[in-house]
Amino acid sequence: MEFFTLSLLNGLSYGLVLFMLSAGLTLIFSLLGVLNLAHASFYMLGAYVAYSLTLVLGFWPALLLAPLLVGLAGAAFERYVLRRVHAHGAGRHKAEMLVTFGLATVLGELVQLAWGRGPVDYRVPEALAGPLFTLWGTPFPAYRAFMVLVALGMWLALWLLFTRTRTGLVVQAALTHPDAVQALGHNVPRIFMLVFGGGAALAGLAGVVGGNAFVTEPGMAATVGSVVFVVVVVGGMGSLTGALGASLLIGVLQTFAVGMDMLSRFAPLLPYLLLVLVLLVRPQGLWGRRAD
């Protein structure tokens, strides 16, 4: 019972961090149709910017400012690079993948130039450093509970934005009927820029919250990058609910596997085995819709 309860709590908290990271990528893909290979790099950038801001201003201002700065960087990339790529029309998706791969490489090099090749000492805030409660003599960190609250707050805010507000309806309509939305007086290119910047800001927020819970180092984008794409595909491309479900499923599966002697060595492989299984049985993803 002790192993089951603690593994479940740790798996859910890890899964919700994966959701925070995959939500922005899902948003960008579902609304813009852009498969952003640099998304995990925005996560890394959020962690490093938060680390520097924490040294000067403290953690709580960094929690607000770092995602904003990363979002501005994402919006600038859409405005001055991605939009020019789209202007070429033919071969758009190949060009998007290449230019976002190039951005990931550039961000990786810039981070190493600015902060060095080793990990930085980015710590959880003192107010959340202790245990929240103790089960069977094992403490459950207060910071993990904080990560859960931030992730659930993000999910609720996105759900309300896209299902209960006029802004959400305009943003969704801009992808499927851009000419009609433009004719109604909305600036469609600006909407696309804000959506891309918003997706980057969500990745940055995941970096701020996850960077001090795990390790902030130059390889962190590569570590989670492939898992995030697995989450998006398993959940269903473009489905926010799917991203949440797949994140929790992968987080719980990996955490339980790590705690079992027989399965611990296979834990890193589980997301990819799940990906293969889902593609064989349900290619559109567990919560995805058929293209036809």
Side-chain angles (χ1 to χ4, degrees):
M1 191 63 185
E2 175 185 354
F3 169 74
F4 177 83
T5 305
L6 292 174
S7 295
L8 184 62
L9 288 174
N10 287 328
L12 290 176
S13 59
Y14 173 57
L16 285 169
V17 173
L18 285 180
F19 167 69
M20 290 176 65
L21 189 49
S22 59
L25 182 62
T26 301
L27 194 68
I28 291 172
F29 182 79
S30 64
L31 297 177
L32 305 184
V34 175
L35 196 55
N36 178 19
L37 297 183
H39 191 72
S41 298
F42 287 121
Y43 161 76
M44 175 180 65
L45 194 60
Y48 273 99
V49 171
Y51 162 69
S52 292
L53 289 175
T54 299
L55 294 178
V56 180
L57 302 173
F59 174 76
W60 301 108
L63 180 65
L64 298 176
L65 291 176
L68 180 63
L69 293 174
V70 174
L72 288 174
F77 176 74
E78 197 283 336
R79 172 66 180 83
Y80 296 106
V81 180
L82 204 54
R83 195 176 299 179
R84 292 173 185 269
V85 170
H86 289 165
H88 293 294
R92 164 184 163 163
H93 294 300
K94 276 185 187 173
E96 284 173 354
M97 292 176 71
L98 288 173
V99 77
T100 54
F101 177 75
L103 175 64
T105 305
V106 169
L107 287 178
E109 293 297 324
L110 286 177
V111 161
Q112 292 185 54
L113 283 173
W115 287 281
R117 297 180 182 277
V120 296
D121 188 21
Y122 180 31
R123 300 181 182 182
V124 300
E126 216 169 289
L128 299 173
L132 181 65
F133 55 82
T134 301
L135 282 176
W136 295 285
T138 303
F140 184 78
Y143 193 74
R144 279 194 176 265
F146 170 72
M147 291 163 66
V148 169
L149 288 177
V150 173
L152 291 178
M154 174 195 288
W155 173 77
L156 182 62
L158 289 175
W159 182 78
L160 290 174
L161 175 66
F162 289 108
T163 60
R164 295 291 185 273
T165 68
R166 183 171 176 273
T167 302
L169 292 176
V170 171
V171 170
Q172 293 182 73
L175 177 66
T176 53
H177 302 85
D179 294 335
V181 173
Q182 186 83 34
L184 290 173
H186 299 287
N187 189 328
V188 173
R190 184 181 296 169
I191 291 174
F192 286 177
M193 181 182 71
L194 292 175
V195 169
F196 196 94
L202 292 179
L205 177 61
V208 177
V209 175
N212 51 7
F214 304 108
V215 181
T216 298
E217 48 92 19
M220 63 190 294
T223 303
V224 300
S226 57
V227 177
V228 171
F229 278 97
V230 170
V231 167
V232 172
V233 175
V234 168
M237 301 283 278
S239 169
L240 204 58
T241 304
L244 177 62
S247 299
L248 293 176
L249 180 61
I250 290 173
V252 171
L253 278 177
Q254 275 199 300
T255 306
F256 271 92
V258 167
M260 298 178 182
D261 290 338
M262 291 179 62
L263 294 177
S264 59
R265 68 178 64 180
F266 300 106
L269 296 177
L270 286 180
Y272 308 101
L273 293 174
L274 181 64
L275 172 67
V276 173
L277 183 64
V278 169
L279 287 177
L280 285 174
V281 178
R282 192 176 166 83
Q284 72 272 30
L286 296 177
W287 286 267
R289 296 177 181 172
R290 285 182 180 276
D292 54 353

